[in-house]
Amino acid sequence: MEELRRAGWYWGSMNVAEAKERLQDTPEGTFLVRDSSHSEYLLTISVKTSAGPTNLRIEYQDGKFRLDSIICVRSRLKQFDSVVHLIEYYVLTCKDRKTGPETPSNGIVHLYLNKPLYTSTPSLQHHCRITINKCTDKILELPLPARLKEYLKEYQYQV
């Protein structure tokens, strides 16, 4: 949970209506993570789609996280050691996909995770850390002081 808090887009206790209100005027693909209001789940991703804000539960089982899904698909979904890693995977997967402002004519609503909605403005240091992580995964090899490398290693994600 500390890693998730450090990300800056974990909102904690928030109901569906509050999440919808926060996401209402944001671009498609904007998301936040909040505590789930469903007793069987810890967390929920709230994301703005072309049809408006929607919610995806995050399932936790056997020490791994994955998106909640119908049973026939569940075993094919990737599992992750952390929620931040799960979010990073789906953000990077969506990165190159084209998003459009309108709902497709066939009624299908595409789900894109593009931009986190931060609880407050992240520090310049955190932005720099994310930028460095986007450029390299070899933090220990960088010509930087040990203390700075430790800071970079505290959050090794691109989101």
Side-chain angles (χ1 to χ4, degrees), residues 50-116:
S50 59
T54 192
N55 302 286
L56 296 157
R57 293 182 181 124
I58 298 174
E59 183 179 276
Y60 179 74
Q61 186 176 20
D62 300 325
K64 301 283 185 179
F65 296 92
R66 69 176 165 208
L67 296 179
D68 183 35
S69 173
I70 57 174
I71 292 175
C72 63
V73 179
R74 191 170 291 154
S75 64
R76 293 186 300 215
L77 290 176
K78 285 186 68 85
Q79 297 183 60
F80 302 90
D81 293 328
S82 75
V83 174
V84 180
H85 191 193
L86 178 148
I87 297 291
E88 178 185 51
Y89 172 80
Y90 287 106
V91 167
L92 294 177
T93 299
C94 296
K95 185 177 178 183
D96 297 326
R97 293 187 183 168
K98 183 179 182 239
T99 60
E102 298 178 19
T103 305
S105 59
N106 60 5
I108 294 174
V109 175
H110 294 281
L111 183 69
Y112 299 102
L113 297 181
N114 294 331
K115 182 180 182 230

Side-chain angles (χ1 to χ4, degrees), residues 4-5 27 34 40 55 66 76 81 110 127 149:
L4 184 56
R5 284 184 190 91
R34 62 183 177 82
E40 292 182 30
N55 302 286
R66 69 176 165 208
R76 293 186 300 215
D81 293 328
H110 294 281
H127 275 298
K149 288 179 187 180

Side-chain angles (χ1 to χ4, degrees), residues 19-57:
K20 182 178 180 179
E21 184 179 322
R22 294 273 182 196
L23 292 167
Q24 195 60 47
D25 296 325
T26 63
E28 182 180 350
T30 304
F31 67 90
L32 60 88
V33 175
R34 62 183 177 82
D35 294 341
S36 180
S37 51
H38 192 287
S39 62
E40 292 182 30
Y41 299 90
L42 296 173
L43 301 164
T44 296
I45 303 168
S46 295
V47 60
K48 175 76 174 281
T49 69
S50 59
T54 192
N55 302 286
L56 296 157
R57 293 182 181 124

